[in-house]
């Protein structure tokens, strides 16, 4: 008969293994989640307007040259693509991987980008990343907004830099 302490240790080990597998799996897979937003305030031209959000890639590659992500995004047929930070990972920064993905995404739909904390943490390398984004015609939203117009109706898309880029309390 297994003692109580041994059962607890075995249970803890099983939970730990499951947790490690879950963390690994969540870092090597990509998925699609769909949300439908309904609002009387949205112009009718933007009914069924599709925004694909790509976020927190941390330099991961899903398929050869990120083909898995590109194919998933293309399949969604988005009106725009929102790149919402952490394209790179500050501990293993690879600007080129992020740049190659972005070059493929802008062929699918207009891309809009906001920074994440990892972009702030890469220091001067961020300028290289931003140049690649701008050269690829990505709209970088540094604490600003742009108007999106469809059939003479307009909505506003706003982007805020990650707080790690600026000390927002410095004006005091």
């Amino acid at each position: 008969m297994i003692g109580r302490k041994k059962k607890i240790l075995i249970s803890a080990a099983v939970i730990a293994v499951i947790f490690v597998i879950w963390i690994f799996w969540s870092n090597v897979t990509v998925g699609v989640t769909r949300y439908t937003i309904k609002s009387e305030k949205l112009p009718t031209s933007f009914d069924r307007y599709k925004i694909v959000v790509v976020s927190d890639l941390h330099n991961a590659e899903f398929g050869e040259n990120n083909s898995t992500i590109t194919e998933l995004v293309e399949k969604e047929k988005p009106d725009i693509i929102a790149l919402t930070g952490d394209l790179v990972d500050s501990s293993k920064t690879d600007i080129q991987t992020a740049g190659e993905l972005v070059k493929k995404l802008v062929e699918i739909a207009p891309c809009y980008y906001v920074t994440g904390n990892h972009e702030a943490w890469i220091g001067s390398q961020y300028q290289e990343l931003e140049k690649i984004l701008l050269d690829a015609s990505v709209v970088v939203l540094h604490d600003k907004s742009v108007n999106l117009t469809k059939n003479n109706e307009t909505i506003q898309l706003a982007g805020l830099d990650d707080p790690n880029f600026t000390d927002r309390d410095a004006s005091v």
Side-chain angles (χ1 to χ4, degrees):
M1 185 159 142
I2 299 176
R4 188 175 190 318
K5 284 184 181 181
K6 199 168 189 177
K7 283 182 183 180
I8 292 172
L9 285 173
I10 291 171
S11 296
V14 168
I15 290 170
V17 167
I18 290 170
F19 183 70
V20 167
I21 291 170
W22 178 78
I23 287 176
F24 176 77
W25 177 81
S26 68
N27 284 320
V28 297
T29 59
V30 63
V32 174
T33 304
R34 292 178 184 85
Y35 296 98
T36 301
I37 312 272
K38 294 182 183 190
S39 173
E40 302 283 327
K41 296 178 182 181
L42 282 174
T44 55
S45 295
F46 287 89
D47 186 36
R48 301 198 187 284
Y49 194 81
K50 194 176 280 191
I51 301 171
V52 166
V53 177
V54 177
S55 188
D56 294 288
L57 293 178
H58 297 274
N59 280 129
E61 284 192 80
F62 298 94
E64 187 175 333
N65 298 318
N66 272 317
S67 60
T68 302
I69 292 175
T70 306
E71 290 167 10
L72 286 171
V73 170
E74 200 166 35
K75 187 176 178 182
E76 293 300 318
K77 297 180 177 34
D79 292 287
I80 66 168
I81 300 169
L83 303 166
T84 57
D86 292 350
L87 285 176
V88 296
D89 190 300
S90 60
S91 65
K92 55 180 181 354
T93 304
D94 183 352
I95 304 289
Q96 297 311 314
T97 296
E100 291 304 315
L101 173 61
V102 167
K103 288 174 189 173
K104 291 176 185 173
L105 293 177
V106 297
E107 293 176 7
I108 298 169
C111 293
Y112 298 84
Y113 172 78
V114 294
T115 59
N117 58 320
H118 282 264
E119 282 84 4
W121 295 344
I122 63 172
S124 62
Q125 286 183 294
Y126 174 73
Q127 271 59 39
E128 182 184 348
L129 175 61
E130 185 173 291
K131 182 178 181 338
I132 290 170
L133 295 170
L134 293 171
D135 288 348
S137 300
V138 173
V139 177
V140 179
L141 297 171
H142 285 298
D143 294 337
K144 66 179 184 179
S145 64
V146 294
N147 289 331
L148 303 177
T149 303
K150 186 175 180 183
N151 300 328
N152 294 322
E153 294 182 301
T154 302
I155 61 172
Q156 198 169 60
L157 179 68
L160 296 175
D161 275 336
D162 187 273
N164 284 288
F165 269 96
T166 56
D167 182 3
R168 297 189 191 279
D169 295 329
S171 60
V172 181

